[in-house]
Amino acid sequence: MNYTEILIIPLIPLAVFLVLGIFYSRIKPAVSGIIGALGLLISTLLSIKVAYQYFFVFSNDGVAYQTLVHKTVWMNFTETLRIDMGVLLDPISIMMLLVVSIVSLMVHLYSRGYMKGDPGYTKFFAFLSLFTFSMYGLVLATNLFQIYIFWELVGVSSYLLIGFYYTKPTAVAAAKKAFVVTRFADLGFLIGILIVGFYTGTYDFELLNNPEGSPILSWAASSFFGMSVLSWGLLLIFIGGAGKSAMFPLHIWLPDAMEGPTPVSALIHAATMVVAGVYLVARLFPMYYFVEEGIILQVVAFVGAFSALFAAIIAITQNDIKRVLAYSTMSQLAYMMLALGVSGYEGEAGLGYMASMFHLFTHAMFKALLFLCAGSVIHAVHSNYLKDMGGLRKYMPITHITFLIAALAIAGIPPLAGFWSKDEILVAVYEKNTLLYIVALLVAGLTAFYMFRIYFGIFWKRDPEYASTPHESPATMTIPLIILAAFSTLAGFVPFGEFISADRMVLEAHINLPLALAAVATGMAGIGLAWLFYRKETGLPEKMVDALGKLYTWTYHKFYIDEVYLFVTKKILFKRVAEPAAKFDRQVVDGTMVGIGNSTVRTSEKIKGMQSGKVQDYAMAFVAGILVIVIFFVYYLTE
């Protein structure tokens, strides 16, 4: 099997980044946009070709298999423990390759219109290309250390993109916040990698994920505080994934990251950076399942369920449409984590794994569409807030229809893509835990409600007094919307279980009619409630706000989690820990060193006359020394 194209796919955006970055001042903005989009188009076409070959040309009677395309030893520690750099193809890496390529291409095409006239136009496309290269490296990694290297490169790229408007204080603060919070999570990831490598003797996914291999079979060899050491390592790795995928309580960076340009929001928060955490757990799923009977998967499931509900509740009260979509992303990513947490491994027991990857695939399409539609609206009205919008369906018909398709898809309304993947998640959760199923079903209803709250607020509510008449976005922006709308409509019909499953065997998925009807009814109820409250200005929202009182206030302020972080960092870590440590450093450590230095200077001042450089002084000292010796010996001999 020849996959030479796979080596070219990530190198193209890297080359685009270098060209646009080095020749930044010499390339015209329009040309840089064409170079960026053309590079991603080639990578996308090659990705589609590789996926077709993998699944349809070289498949083995429907059984997906793993292929190491290329591996080079980078660092060699022992016979088995080494760090390789290479390319690993398996069903989920191929799926992620397609997701990253398609969404990134749409964002590149869209950005040519959205960023037109921006003074940093060329720089923006350079950063987009760097981000895409980083994601390619992450999804194709062959081992834990390689994925960590690109994981951090993705973090740097997101920092550059979120803080793209570096003259805007809120954007700079958001970029720093995203970088710092995810670095704390990544510390756990790194420690987890070191623990797993030390106790298994390998970092390679091939060996780590082999159910019959020594890393999994020997998990009980060492324990710590009642759990196996490998379980602790996997928990720490999950913390890294939770930080990147904005799980509670490491979610606080995600809403603030909306300060970047809207295409960045679509790229980072739809299908690429934020799903890296879900991908990481899926990549190591056999270890999570077999080590200590999947105890860490239970943590994954409950963290996912709580994060999904927590984010959905907050999304109901937010008035910035991009922040609503940010919390929606957090909620849907938590859905994927929940599905992984309740999944088994073999046969139909692995439905949760398949459903999680399926929802990752479909969600990428309609969430990217939602963000790009939001960008189109913001481009027209020059505001992110619902109070400045209304009646835009008359002015922006393409944006209106495509946004509606995406909203119906995320609400789980058939036959759109979100229905099929969300239904599989609900079935998997129902078969594992009734309480978690109730939470997941409630989240489905809340999702439909808050999505149609902003839909009616943007496109149906009465027109505010626009400074200038809104108009539809140019074709460079609407064509990607139409393409993503088509994906959001048709992606659910992909027989996903035939391509991706936990044990890599074909998984026949079936509709559970009672559960499907319950999910659709819940979604329709959410839409109906949003219609009642927000289709026209009725005063009902204000009455509900008054009725909820403090609960609404807490929800609107995101349960004051940011304030808790500030209190802990400023009042405890900085004031109670950092300041005393700094005082000790200045007064004791530095004081000791300065005292030694000053004493040395004073002593040298006292004795430096002994080294005057004058011959007569040395002669006098010599004679005086001789006299002292003579007197000493004369006195000693007379005794």
Side-chain angles (χ1 to χ4, degrees):
M1 179 169 53
N2 183 15
Y3 284 114
T4 53
E5 298 91 346
I6 198 67
L7 299 175
I8 302 173
I9 292 172
L11 294 179
I12 293 175
L14 176 61
V16 171
F17 164 69
L18 293 174
V19 169
L20 296 183
I22 293 171
F23 302 103
Y24 170 78
S25 59
R26 301 181 186 179
I27 300 177
K28 293 181 179 179
V31 176
S32 64
I34 293 173
I35 292 173
L38 185 60
L40 256 295
L41 176 61
I42 296 171
S43 289
T44 302
L45 293 175
L46 291 176
S47 299
I48 293 171
K49 179 183 178 182
V50 168
Y52 175 78
Q53 289 178 327
Y54 185 89
F55 287 119
F56 297 106
V57 177
F58 300 113
S59 60
N60 185 17
D61 296 328
V63 179
Y65 56 95
Q66 190 165 281
T67 307
L68 269 173
V69 176
H70 182 71
K71 181 189 286 188
T72 300
V73 177
W74 183 38
M75 292 184 182
N76 203 351
F77 302 109
T78 68
E79 291 183 2
T80 57
L81 186 60
R82 61 178 182 266
I83 301 176
D84 299 323
M85 298 296 286
V87 174
L88 174 65
L89 294 186
D90 69 352
I92 62 170
S93 66
I94 292 289
M95 181 269 293
M96 284 295 294
L97 194 67
L98 288 174
V99 165
V100 172
S101 296
I102 293 171
V103 173
S104 198
L105 175 60
M106 294 300 106
V107 168
H108 274 74
L109 294 174
Y110 180 93
S111 298
R112 292 183 62 237
Y114 188 88
M115 299 298 293
K116 187 176 182 180
D118 193 287
Y121 189 94
T122 300
K123 180 177 67 175
F124 181 78
F125 277 92
F127 290 166
L128 283 185
S129 297
L130 176 63
F131 185 93
T132 306
F133 162 71
S134 305
M135 279 304 304
Y136 279 146
L138 190 154
V139 302
L140 296 174
T142 65
N143 59 78
L144 273 172
F145 249 107
Q146 185 181 347
I147 205 173
Y148 182 76
I149 291 168
F150 285 99
W151 187 277
E152 295 304 322
L153 193 54
V154 166
V156 172
S157 306
S158 66
Y159 172 80
L160 295 172
L161 287 168
I162 294 169
F164 180 76
Y165 297 128
Y166 58 88
T167 58
K168 187 178 176 184
T170 53
V172 174
K176 290 191 292 185
K177 187 176 184 180
F179 192 80
V180 171
V181 172
T182 53
R183 292 297 72 70
F184 274 105
D186 292 350
L187 175 62
F189 185 15
L190 179 59
I191 296 172
I193 290 173
L194 296 175
I195 290 174
V196 169
F198 181 81
Y199 282 95
T200 64
T202 183
Y203 296 119
D204 278 8
F205 292 131
E206 275 189 301
L207 300 175
L208 292 174
N209 288 328
N210 182 2
E212 304 299 325
S214 59
I216 290 178
L217 294 179
S218 62
W219 62 263
S222 302
S223 62
F224 180 75
F225 277 94
M227 273 199 323
S228 73
V229 173
L230 277 185
S231 292
W232 284 108
L234 292 173
L235 178 62
L236 289 166
I237 290 173
F238 170 66
I239 289 174
K244 197 72 84 179
S245 289
M247 297 293 100
F248 180 90
L250 298 169
H251 65 283
I252 59 170
W253 66 270
L254 188 66
D256 289 22
M258 296 297 107
E259 293 293 337
T262 302
V264 170
S265 303
L267 185 63
I268 292 178
H269 305 107
T272 52
M273 174 178 163
V274 290
V275 299
V278 178
Y279 176 75
L280 179 64
V281 176
R283 168 55 71 204
L284 289 171
F285 184 77
M287 286 198 77
Y288 277 99
Y289 180 75
F290 286 107
V291 171
E292 207 159 350
E293 298 179 351
I295 188 172
I296 304 304
L297 281 183
Q298 298 176 35
V299 177
V300 173
F302 280 94
V303 169
F306 180 81
S307 298
L309 182 60
F310 180 82
I313 291 172
I314 293 176
I316 293 173
T317 63
Q318 301 304 299
N319 296 315
D320 182 333
I321 62 172
K322 287 177 67 176
R323 289 182 184 267
V324 173
L325 296 179
Y327 279 107
S328 171
T329 299
M330 175 183 169
S331 184
Q332 297 303 304
L333 292 170
Y335 241 62
M336 301 170 205
M337 285 290 195
L338 171 59
L340 286 173
V342 300
S343 181
Y345 183 74
E346 295 181 350
E348 293 186 359
L351 178 63
Y353 178 94
M354 186 278 289
S356 176
M357 296 297 97
F358 193 14
H359 198 56
L360 189 157
F361 179 72
T362 60
H363 172 264
M365 304 306 164
F366 53 72
K367 183 53 62 68
L369 177 56
L370 285 169
F371 270 113
L372 295 185
C373 285
S376 185
V377 169
I378 294 167
H379 190 263
V381 302
H382 309 290
S383 173
N384 293 17
Y385 293 93
L386 286 170
K387 64 181 179 62
D388 300 320
M389 302 172 187
L392 288 178
R393 71 187 188 281
K394 297 176 292 185
Y395 308 106
M396 309 177 72
I398 297 176
T399 302
H400 168 231
I401 295 300
T402 51
F403 190 99
L404 177 59
I405 290 171
L408 289 170
I410 197 173
I413 304 303
L416 300 174
F419 163 75
W420 305 100
S421 57
K422 187 175 288 189
D423 180 71
E424 300 291 4
I425 290 177
L426 290 172
V427 172
V429 176
Y430 177 80
E431 292 176 352
K432 186 74 174 183
N433 188 303
T434 303
L435 175 62
L436 294 182
Y437 169 74
I438 293 172
V439 171
L441 190 63
L442 176 60
V443 170
L446 293 175
T447 301
F449 176 75
Y450 66 67
M451 283 309 310
F452 276 84
R453 169 179 173 259
I454 63 172
Y455 165 73
F456 290 127
I458 295 169
F459 296 104
W460 285 86
K461 186 184 69 177
R462 67 177 179 82
D463 296 15
E465 294 183 3
Y466 292 117
S468 58
T469 304
H471 57 83
E472 186 60 89
S473 299
T476 51
M477 295 169 65
T478 55
I479 290 175
L481 300 185
I482 294 170
I483 295 172
L484 287 171
F487 279 119
S488 301
T489 304
L490 302 174
F493 293 101
V494 175
F496 213 75
E498 295 182 11
F499 303 112
I500 293 177
S501 63
D503 59 358
R504 299 209 176 114
M505 304 297 289
V506 173
L507 176 61
E508 294 291 342
H510 304 285
I511 291 291
N512 185 317
L513 190 58
L515 295 183
L517 290 175
V520 173
T522 303
M524 293 300 294
I527 295 172
L529 197 61
W531 173 284
L532 182 65
F533 273 69
Y534 300 105
R535 166 67 174 78
K536 296 179 180 179
E537 298 201 17
T538 60
L540 285 176
E542 290 76 13
K543 293 178 182 177
M544 184 58 68
V545 168
D546 294 336
L548 292 174
K550 291 289 185 182
L551 178 59
Y552 176 84
T553 303
W554 275 67
T555 306
Y556 179 76
H557 290 285
K558 299 162 282 189
F559 295 98
Y560 297 99
I561 301 297
D562 285 77
E563 287 75 7
V564 171
Y565 269 95
L566 287 174
F567 175 80
V568 171
T569 53
K570 288 188 174 182
K571 300 295 185 181
I572 298 177
L573 295 180
F574 292 169
K575 193 171 184 63
R576 303 299 180 189
V577 179
E579 284 187 12
K583 187 175 181 180
F584 178 83
D585 181 61
R586 288 194 302 270
Q587 296 183 357
V588 179
V589 178
D590 288 353
T592 301
M593 295 299 104
V594 171
I596 294 172
N598 290 338
S599 299
T600 304
V601 171
R602 285 194 296 269
T603 303
S604 66
E605 288 286 346
K606 297 291 185 183
I607 66 174
K608 68 181 182 181
M610 297 172 61
Q611 297 289 333
S612 66
K614 297 178 181 179
V615 175
Q616 58 269 35
D617 289 343
Y618 297 151
M620 183 178 292
F622 177 76
V623 171
I626 294 294
L627 288 174
V628 170
I629 294 171
V630 168
I631 293 170
F632 172 77
F633 279 107
V634 169
Y635 176 78
Y636 178 76
L637 291 174
T638 58
E639 288 290 330

